[in-house]
Amino acid sequence: MQKDNTPAAKPAGSNTSSTEAKESTPTPKAKGGAAASTVNDNKFSIDAHNAAAKKAASDASDVALSALPKELQHEAKQSARMSPQVRQNWFRVVHKLRQVHKKEHDVSSFFFPSRLRVDSWTELKHICQETILQTDIERFNGKVDSDLHQEIEVRLSRLENIEAFWGFPGIIVFNSLLTMFKEFKYHRFATSLVNIASAVANESYRSKHTQVTSENLTCVTDDGNTEGEESYLPDQPRQGYFEVMIVTKDDNVQRLPDALHSRMRRTEDPFHYEIFVVKSFEEALCGIMFNSTIQSVVIRNNFDMRSDGAIHDAVLPFLEKYQTELGKVDKKLVEERQNKTLLLAAMLKDIRPEVDIFAFSDLPVEHIAMMRNNDFRRVFYNQNGDIQELHLSILQGVKERFDTPFFSALIEYARHPMGVFHALPISRGSSLFHSHWIKDMLQFYGRNIFLAETSATTGGLDSLLEPTGAIKTAQTLAARTFGSEATFWVTNGTSTANKIVVQGLIRPGDIVLVDRNCHKSHHLGLALIGASVVYLEAYPLPQYAIYGGVPLKSIKQQLLDFKKAGTLHLVKLLLLTNCTFDGIVYNVQKVMEECLAIKPDLVFLWDEAWWGFARFHPLLRRRTAMYSAHELKTRFSSEAYKIEYKEWKKSHSVNDAGQRWMPDPEKVRIRVYSTQSTHKTLTALRQGSMIHVHDQDFKRLVERPFIESFFTHTSTSPNYQILASLDVGRRQVALEGFELVQKHLEKALVIRQEVDGSKEISKYFHFLDVGEIIPAEFRQESKLESYIKDGEGPQSLWQRINYAWSHDEFCLDPNRLTLHTGRAGIDGNTFKNKYLMDKFQIQVNKTSINSVLFMLTIGTTRSAVAYLLEALTKISELVEVHTDELSAAELRVHKKKIYELTEHLPPLPNFSSFHERYRRSNVTPEGVLREPFFDAYEENDCDYIPLNDRLMDDVEKSETPLVSADFVIPYPPGFPILVPGQVVTQDVIDFFRHLDVKEVHGYTPSLGLRIFKPYVLTAEDIYLGTSSSETLALARARRQRAGEAIEKTKNAEGKQELARLREEVQTGTSGPLTPVTAPLQRLGGLSATDGTSFQGNPLVGQEGGQ
């Protein structure tokens, strides 16, 4: 950096020489004289308000100033040195910034230092642009107003505590800026700062190789241009950028960074990186949390544990989770970790598992390299020759995550000329290029998508069904990225992924515990297989017409009931949705741990269709299936846990569902599956999904049936574009997943805060917060009520949130924003269509009777957030105007509507029960979905009752129970309110009548609710037929006759008819009958050890089935 020869100026009010006074204008304050008189004549203070108002007619700028709040009018004390326009701009900027930062604990800043950093640079840029740089150099080369100086100083001080955690522009450059400011070289400071701030704000330094020159600290890109205004053209592919953090307290801290930069960097390197250095354990933890561009960390053995006072105080709230471990290090009580270097590597991996960590030490490194489960990618001894290997290893680590085997193979395939004598006329675009009528499709999509369209599995491509090449490698990379032991790609959505897993794990007769509110694909899969199903009830939130999660206590109690009934061995799978549609997140580790204490080999399927992004943030990751499986497996295999279990066993037994239980480490098996709609929350084309597996018994017990199930449900012609998007989406989260999810969370919290703080919006609408979605009994550990409001107690809000996500039974995904619309008198469906879509073209996914669900994803922009807030503000204004214009009669109707939407909501129905015909036990509640599902295929056995029928006003008064013949599934969210074989109750009908969605699968409004005719539920096995279609028809006829006879058994005629039918069956009058027990065991779900009779199904039991 070149030395600045500009004489140092001094702030207003300081002593200056006469020479400096001549060079530095305006003239400083003095007790008397012309200069002082000029300043005093132009003062604008609170005392001079009336005089300034009179002068407004001749000075337009003063009019603008007088409109400012009184508390800001004193800012004009020294504004004489600014031109009127500059002065007006300055007041506007100061007022805006102070409004933004008037709260000491701004949520977005407190949680996310990266945003605080960018916003601070941006604010400084605007201050300099709208004040200092709008006047001549001389005026701001000497001094500025004390208030302006203070506003800049506040933001520089804020940056001073956190800028050391970034490689660009670098702490050296920042300190140079700071020196300029302290030496009062304001104009040069402003010019340099605006240039650098632009690069920081629009992140152009990440897509262009940008260097900060010593001359005026100017950012120059690799194309020779000076960084300035943003480019609105699409980014061109450039050398990838990332940052490397080095942890060391060497006297010459720049020695290793300089060696990597000056000696190792080459133009042919595939990536470009900058380096920054931290000196302590604490700073390293903060660096990995704050700076999302870090891809590699180099740890020297010589670093402090604590930071200096200023940085320690600034970062302390972010270290709450790690304070205990840090204390152990100081006291040398760390178990299983030999030194602080290993512990730091483990903690960094816990926060950012995707980051590569290297040890670079001058101590003997052989013992570190040989330690089991160390977290280093590679260990280096401190020698000059190893610096080159370190540089190459850093680049190689990033390249491995950057590689997209299948996408790259598809690109290569598209570049080669081909002769196509295969299926798919659209391949290579041939059927489009030669068409006279459909070239618009080619024009819309472009050539590449058709060049890459093929049915071939050769030429560098691969088969999804039997992958051996690019797809296999890509799926292995996906497994590493998502923390699974194996990952399978699915191209027809998670609906298919769910059925693959269920069929691969479950056989007829197995008992499955399932959340009744899970996606319909689970129910359909269980129906097809013939599993015995037990529906678990989630806690209800009737005031919002939504369901929460299934309490752990009720799951454990159900397992204990099976244990008591002697059928626990038949329980195979626990199936839960995490997170739910409305954002309820389970304590996954706790659920699995305590269930495994009852049944050590229980299999878990977590439907994480909406939770794929959670893996990439340390707060959310702890409640994901794959992370929890890894943690439990590691914990249960440790000697420390075995000792803990022995002590627990002495005073506890697995009997009380309210107690905390521990599984036996000698018996427990970790068997966990998750299905993920990658396309819903990450980058992938529609229907792109994944199955993640962490099953200790997969190879031994599951692999063959699982693969067969995969073959059953997977197309032999999968869409290659979907597969390529899964590959690219994996690359994205492997390199920038943490950054994207961090910004994702930030936007969600900002929206919550802004709506809560808006008087206009909050009068009619509000986003449901933690305390409203999760009852107090499920958050007793943290007692967290809100994501945006401080609660009682000494803990900070961040600490309370962190504690809740570690300990509470349920948490709320901050990204699920459920807007309550009841106070506006608008139901959810009307708000979605009439207001959001029709007026503002805003799309949402789900509504309830009085709410609308907004879901933020990694694709949500700050502009989209601003647009939503703008729309909510305008809708609030419309509601206000509409309400004011209502007549007295209309107002009464409006208030009644509000009452119905806020106070008088129908109860949420629980699952009633399976009809006894479809039950498998009189002790436990399981039923077989397969039987009623296929019984409903016979249209003559079903009837329809309209929802407005009198019978529906009190269904309990019906002579025979009403039993649903179909799945009845409002969509969204896609879970059933009725399933085949379920007894219809009044709660279900009342809720159904209040539904505000137009799409209800399994229900035809013009016909009504489809139910079984009474005789279907009462006929016995007397109507079972034989293998021929003729006798099957006769059997169906007998079935109807039997049902009618059973209904008439009160009289002699009915009893005689029933007797005749039984005689036909016993004598084979209508043809010989085949034994039904074995085929029904095979097809209908009857267990050989069950000991119960099967009530029969005319569609099964013949030779080979139907």
Side-chain angles (χ1 to χ4, degrees):
M1 177 177 169
Q2 292 184 354
K3 185 177 180 181
D4 184 10
N5 295 320
T6 306
K10 299 185 180 181
S14 62
N15 295 324
T16 55
S17 66
S18 58
T19 303
E20 290 173 329
K22 291 178 182 178
E23 294 177 353
S24 304
T25 57
T27 308
K29 287 184 180 181
K31 292 183 179 180
S37 175
T38 300
V39 172
N40 290 328
D41 288 343
N42 285 281
K43 278 186 178 180
F44 186 80
S45 63
I46 296 176
D47 296 336
H49 175 70
N50 293 330
K54 293 178 181 179
K55 187 182 177 183
S58 59
D59 189 347
S61 65
D62 285 342
V63 174
L65 297 181
S66 65
L68 288 171
K70 288 185 178 181
E71 64 269 18
L72 292 180
Q73 293 181 12
H74 73 281
E75 298 288 354
K77 288 179 182 179
Q78 301 171 3
S79 62
R81 292 189 294 274
M82 301 181 189
S83 68
Q85 183 60 42
V86 173
R87 179 175 52 175
Q88 185 174 341
N89 286 340
W90 165 237
F91 286 125
R92 177 170 54 81
V93 171
V94 170
H95 177 52
K96 180 179 179 181
L97 294 177
R98 290 192 175 178
Q99 289 298 309
V100 171
H101 292 281
K102 62 185 177 182
K103 296 180 181 179
E104 290 185 5
H105 301 292
D106 181 72
V107 172
S108 60
S109 299
F110 189 65
F111 285 168
F112 308 105
S114 58
R115 176 170 175 172
L116 173 64
R117 173 180 180 254
V118 171
D119 285 352
S120 297
W121 278 105
T122 303
E123 290 164 12
L124 285 168
K125 172 185 171 181
H126 285 294
I127 291 173
C128 292
Q129 283 180 326
E130 299 196 27
T131 55
I132 297 176
L133 297 183
Q134 284 201 15
T135 188
D136 54 277
I137 296 176
E138 288 77 13
R139 285 187 178 274
F140 278 110
N141 223 21
K143 60 193 71 176
V144 299
D145 300 296
S146 58
D147 292 314
L148 174 57
H149 185 95
Q150 182 181 3
E151 292 296 333
I152 296 174
E153 189 173 47
V154 166
R155 286 157 181 81
L156 288 175
S157 297
R158 187 189 301 154
L159 286 172
E160 192 172 12
N161 286 329
I162 59 176
E163 195 60 34
F165 298 115
W166 275 268
F168 182 91
I171 193 63
I172 295 175
V173 170
F174 179 78
N175 286 336
S176 298
L177 283 173
L178 207 58
T179 300
M180 289 183 195
F181 179 74
K182 291 179 179 179
E183 293 178 352
F184 317 116
K185 301 170 184 176
Y186 294 115
H187 199 280
R188 186 178 177 194
F189 162 80
T191 302
S192 302
L193 184 139
V194 167
N195 190 253
I196 295 172
S198 295
V200 172
N202 62 36
E203 297 185 325
S204 58
Y205 67 93
R206 297 178 65 176
S207 57
K208 306 174 185 177
H209 182 192
T210 304
Q211 291 183 320
V212 182
T213 64
S214 58
E215 181 67 27
N216 289 327
L217 300 183
T218 303
C219 294
V220 178
T221 63
D222 52 3
D223 54 12
N225 295 326
T226 300
E227 178 59 53
E229 295 299 319
E230 291 188 53
S231 171
Y232 297 99
L233 298 176
D235 289 338
Q236 297 298 316
R238 292 177 180 269
Q239 194 178 36
Y241 174 89
F242 63 94
E243 295 189 354
V244 176
M245 178 172 70
I246 296 179
V247 187
T248 181
K249 67 167 187 176
D250 279 345
D251 293 335
N252 184 4
V253 295
Q254 286 299 120
R255 182 173 57 182
L256 181 56
D258 289 345
L260 285 169
H261 265 172
S262 60
R263 292 164 48 192
M264 298 299 131
R265 184 177 292 173
R266 303 172 301 171
T267 56
E268 61 266 29
D269 287 341
F271 310 105
H272 168 75
Y273 61 86
E274 293 291 345
I275 299 171
F276 68 95
V277 178
V278 296
K279 299 181 180 181
S280 71
F281 199 116
E282 285 185 344
E283 289 177 30
L285 292 179
C286 289
I288 205 73
M289 287 189 285
F290 293 177
N291 186 345
S292 57
T293 66
I294 294 174
Q295 298 294 340
S296 299
V297 178
V298 180
I299 303 177
R300 304 294 307 276
N301 57 286
N302 55 339
F303 56 86
D304 294 325
M305 294 306 302
R306 305 286 181 183
S307 306
D308 61 39
I311 294 181
H312 175 77
D313 294 340
V315 303
L316 189 60
F318 299 95
L319 300 175
E320 186 267 340
K321 178 182 176 183
Y322 304 98
Q323 287 302 308
T324 302
E325 292 293 337
L326 291 176
K328 290 180 181 179
V329 174
D330 288 344
K331 298 174 183 178
K332 299 182 179 179
L333 296 177
V334 183
E335 297 180 4
E336 300 181 3
R337 295 290 176 183
Q338 298 300 311
N339 55 50
K340 61 185 181 181
T341 303
L342 288 167
L343 181 62
L344 176 57
M347 288 191 178
L348 295 178
K349 274 289 186 182
D350 181 61
I351 300 170
R352 299 272 302 278
E354 77 280 6
V355 169
D356 293 320
I357 302 178
F358 301 92
F360 197 86
S361 175
D362 50 14
L363 295 175
V365 296
E366 291 79 5
H367 74 284
I368 298 178
M370 294 177 64
M371 290 189 66
R372 294 182 59 192
N373 299 323
N374 78 70
D375 294 289
F376 295 111
R377 180 181 175 90
R378 188 170 173 183
V379 177
F380 292 96
Y381 187 64
N382 185 12
Q383 290 183 334
N384 288 335
D386 284 343
I387 294 178
Q388 173 177 285
E389 296 304 313
L390 173 61
H391 169 74
L392 294 176
S393 296
I394 289 171
L395 295 178
Q396 183 186 38
V398 175
K399 184 180 182 302
E400 287 178 4
R401 281 173 274 151
F402 183 85
D403 283 346
T404 48
F406 183 75
F407 179 55
S408 300
L410 200 61
I411 292 174
E412 192 63 26
Y413 172 87
R415 288 173 177 169
H416 286 294
M418 292 286 172
V420 179
F421 296 91
H422 203 304
L424 213 63
I426 204 172
S427 175
R428 316 296 292 178
S430 298
S431 62
L432 298 173
F433 293 138
H434 303 296
S435 173
H436 299 289
W437 294 96
I438 60 173
K439 286 185 178 179
D440 51 343
M441 185 178 186
L442 178 65
Q443 293 168 353
F444 181 77
Y445 285 107
R447 291 173 175 265
N448 283 342
I449 191 171
F450 302 108
L451 290 172
E453 191 62 56
T454 178
S455 291
T457 58
T458 56
L461 302 179
D462 201 359
S463 167
L464 180 61
L465 295 175
E466 291 281 359
T468 57
I471 291 179
K472 182 178 181 180
T473 305
Q475 288 184 153
T476 300
L477 288 175
R480 184 186 306 168
T481 300
F482 287 93
S484 67
E485 293 179 338
T487 290
F488 299 85
W489 286 350
V490 180
T491 57
N492 17 356
T494 303
S495 296
T496 295
N498 290 334
K499 285 178 275 191
I500 290 172
V501 177
V502 168
Q503 183 175 320
L505 294 172
I506 302 301
R507 292 177 293 179
D510 287 341
I511 297 175
V512 178
L513 277 58
V514 56
D515 178 3
R516 192 270 305 245
N517 303 310
C518 67
H519 191 264
K520 68 175 186 177
S521 57
H522 295 293
H523 301 271
L524 291 169
L526 294 169
L528 294 173
I529 294 164
S532 295
V533 178
V534 176
Y535 283 121
L536 304 170
E537 292 296 342
Y539 67 80
L541 295 168
Q543 65 273 36
Y544 309 120
I546 58 179
Y547 290 93
V550 180
L552 175 57
K553 184 176 180 180
S554 66
I555 300 173
K556 291 160 61 178
Q557 186 59 58
Q558 191 62 71
L559 290 171
L560 288 178
D561 290 345
F562 279 110
K563 183 179 180 181
K564 183 178 180 181
T567 53
L568 183 62
H569 64 285
L570 297 177
V571 179
K572 182 68 173 289
L573 178 70
L574 173 63
L575 196 165
L576 297 172
T577 303
N578 189 54
C579 72
T580 70
F581 215 124
D582 298 287
I584 309 302
V585 184
Y586 286 84
N587 190 331
V588 178
Q589 289 190 50
K590 186 175 182 181
V591 170
M592 295 198 295
E593 177 181 358
E594 299 208 31
C595 289
L596 288 170
I598 306 172
K599 184 170 174 54
D601 62 343
L602 185 64
V603 185
F604 299 88
L605 170 54
W606 296 94
D607 184 339
E608 296 185 328
W610 299 96
W611 200 226
F613 67 92
R615 168 76 187 176
F616 306 99
H617 194 279
L619 180 70
L620 312 180
R621 183 186 307 121
R622 64 191 77 171
R623 291 187 177 234
T624 61
M626 292 299 104
Y627 177 84
S628 299
H630 177 268
E631 291 296 298
L632 289 179
K633 181 179 177 181
T634 302
R635 180 176 168 227
F636 293 157
S637 62
S638 69
E639 291 300 321
Y641 178 80
K642 293 175 182 178
I643 296 172
E644 183 184 3
Y645 174 76
K646 287 181 180 179
E647 292 299 316
W648 177 86
K649 189 70 174 175
K650 293 176 182 178
S651 57
H652 295 82
S653 61
V654 181
N655 291 312
D656 183 1
Q659 292 183 348
R660 173 183 176 262
W661 298 340
M662 297 178 68
D664 186 341
E666 302 300 327
K667 298 179 180 179
V668 69
R669 305 294 291 173
I670 303 300
R671 307 190 61 193
V672 185
Y673 295 76
S674 77
T675 53
Q676 171 198 106
S677 292
T678 314
H679 66 101
K680 281 187 171 73
T681 61
L682 299 174
T683 298
L685 292 177
R686 191 173 178 86
Q687 296 190 18
S689 296
M690 298 188 192
I691 299 170
H692 302 301
V693 180
H694 196 299
D695 185 350
Q696 288 180 288
D697 294 328
F698 184 77
K699 289 286 185 183
R700 186 170 63 90
L701 300 176
V702 179
E703 185 174 32
R704 178 42 50 196
F706 183 91
I707 295 302
E708 288 298 328
S709 178
F710 192 83
F711 289 166
T712 301
H713 295 281
T714 300
S715 170
T716 54
S717 302
N719 186 302
Y720 276 5
Q721 316 316 317
I722 295 176
L723 296 178
S725 72
L726 289 172
D727 202 10
V728 173
R730 190 275 317 156
R731 175 210 281 176
Q732 183 181 41
V733 293
L735 291 168
E736 55 182 347
F738 171 71
E739 175 181 6
L740 294 172
V741 178
Q742 183 92 319
K743 292 178 178 178
H744 177 193
L745 282 170
E746 166 198 302
K747 296 182 187 81
L749 293 172
V750 167
I751 290 179
R752 289 177 179 274
Q753 186 183 42
E754 292 297 326
V755 169
D756 182 73
S758 169
K759 293 181 180 178
E760 293 80 8
I761 300 176
S762 60
K763 182 177 180 180
Y764 299 105
F765 310 103
H766 78 284
F767 287 116
L768 300 183
D769 215 333
V770 178
E772 296 166 293
I773 292 286
I774 300 175
E777 62 186 293
F778 302 123
R779 46 185 173 81
Q780 291 181 351
E781 297 288 342
S782 71
K783 296 180 172 57
L784 180 70
E785 293 281 347
S786 172
Y787 280 136
I788 57 176
K789 297 176 182 177
D790 283 316
E792 298 179 358
Q795 286 185 316
S796 69
L797 180 58
W798 167 247
Q799 290 171 323
R800 295 168 73 88
I801 291 174
N802 186 61
Y803 192 82
W805 278 81
S806 295
H807 297 90
D808 285 353
E809 183 167 348
F810 295 106
C811 285
L812 173 64
D813 176 11
N815 306 289
R816 300 302 180 92
L817 303 171
T818 300
L819 186 75
H820 187 256
T821 63
R823 292 204 307 269
I826 307 172
D827 64 83
N829 193 55
T830 300
F831 190 81
K832 169 186 175 181
N833 295 299
K834 181 179 177 181
Y835 290 90
L836 292 176
M837 192 63 205
D838 292 350
K839 295 183 183 297
F840 296 97
Q841 292 75 52
I842 292 176
Q843 299 176 355
V844 295
N845 198 320
K846 173 185 175 289
T847 65
S848 75
I849 294 173
N850 58 12
S851 69
V852 174
L853 177 65
F854 297 87
M855 294 186 295
L856 273 65
T857 70
I858 62 172
T860 305
T861 64
R862 289 183 74 169
S863 295
V865 168
Y867 184 56
L868 174 58
L869 293 172
E870 177 188 359
L872 293 177
T873 301
K874 291 181 178 178
I875 292 172
S876 301
E877 294 171 355
L878 290 173
V879 174
E880 181 80 17
V881 171
H882 173 73
T883 305
D884 289 344
E885 294 176 349
L886 294 176
S887 67
E890 292 172 329
L891 187 59
R892 285 195 297 271
V893 173
H894 181 67
K895 289 182 177 179
K896 181 182 178 183
K897 181 71 170 178
I898 293 175
Y899 172 75
E900 291 174 346
L901 292 175
T902 56
E903 304 292 337
H904 187 63
L905 284 87
L908 292 178
N910 287 330
F911 179 79
S912 51
S913 66
F914 286 104
H915 187 271
E916 59 183 8
R917 170 172 166 72
Y918 304 116
R919 290 278 300 275
R920 284 293 163 266
S921 170
N922 294 324
V923 179
T924 49
E926 68 272 20
V928 178
L929 277 174
R930 181 187 178 92
E931 292 180 60
F933 181 79
F934 284 110
D935 279 353
Y937 273 37
E938 184 57 48
E939 185 64 28
N940 292 331
D941 289 345
C942 299
D943 206 346
Y944 295 85
I945 303 180
L947 275 183
N948 58 0
D949 191 282
R950 287 184 180 180
L951 178 61
M952 294 299 196
D953 294 337
D954 192 351
V955 297
E956 274 78 10
K957 290 183 178 179
S958 174
E959 293 183 5
T960 57
L962 302 184
V963 177
S964 177
D966 291 328
F967 288 104
V968 179
I969 305 172
Y971 207 91
F975 55 75
I977 60 173
L978 285 171
V979 303
Q982 179 183 346
V983 176
V984 179
T985 61
Q986 194 61 47
D987 284 348
V988 173
I989 298 301
D990 292 342
F991 182 75
F992 200 177
R993 286 172 167 176
H994 282 81
L995 279 177
D996 64 340
V997 297
K998 294 182 179 180
E999 184 179 354
V1000 182
H1001 301 175
Y1003 173 73
T1004 305
S1006 60
L1007 296 176
L1009 187 65
R1010 191 165 182 252
I1011 63 170
F1012 286 117
K1013 291 180 179 179
Y1015 65 76
V1016 176
L1017 308 172
T1018 53
E1020 300 176 359
D1021 60 352
I1022 58 177
Y1023 54 81
L1024 284 173
T1026 64
S1027 58
S1028 70
S1029 60
E1030 180 181 3
T1031 52
L1032 179 58
L1034 291 173
R1036 287 173 173 164
R1038 272 206 311 274
R1039 168 182 180 155
Q1040 185 167 353
R1041 288 168 56 199
E1044 293 170 350
I1046 290 170
E1047 292 179 27
K1048 299 176 182 178
T1049 51
K1050 294 180 181 179
N1051 57 51
E1053 182 182 353
K1055 292 179 180 179
Q1056 291 174 2
E1057 177 66 15
L1058 193 59
R1060 282 196 299 271
L1061 290 169
R1062 285 204 172 106
E1063 185 178 355
E1064 287 182 14
V1065 172
Q1066 293 169 1
T1067 61
T1069 304
S1070 299
L1073 298 178
T1074 57
V1076 299
T1077 305
L1080 287 179
Q1081 287 176 356
R1082 214 171 43 244
L1083 300 173
L1086 179 63
S1087 170
T1089 59
D1090 193 289
T1092 60
S1093 63
F1094 198 94
Q1095 302 244 347
N1097 187 323
L1099 302 182
V1100 298
Q1102 299 82 36
E1103 294 176 6
Q1106 177 177 320

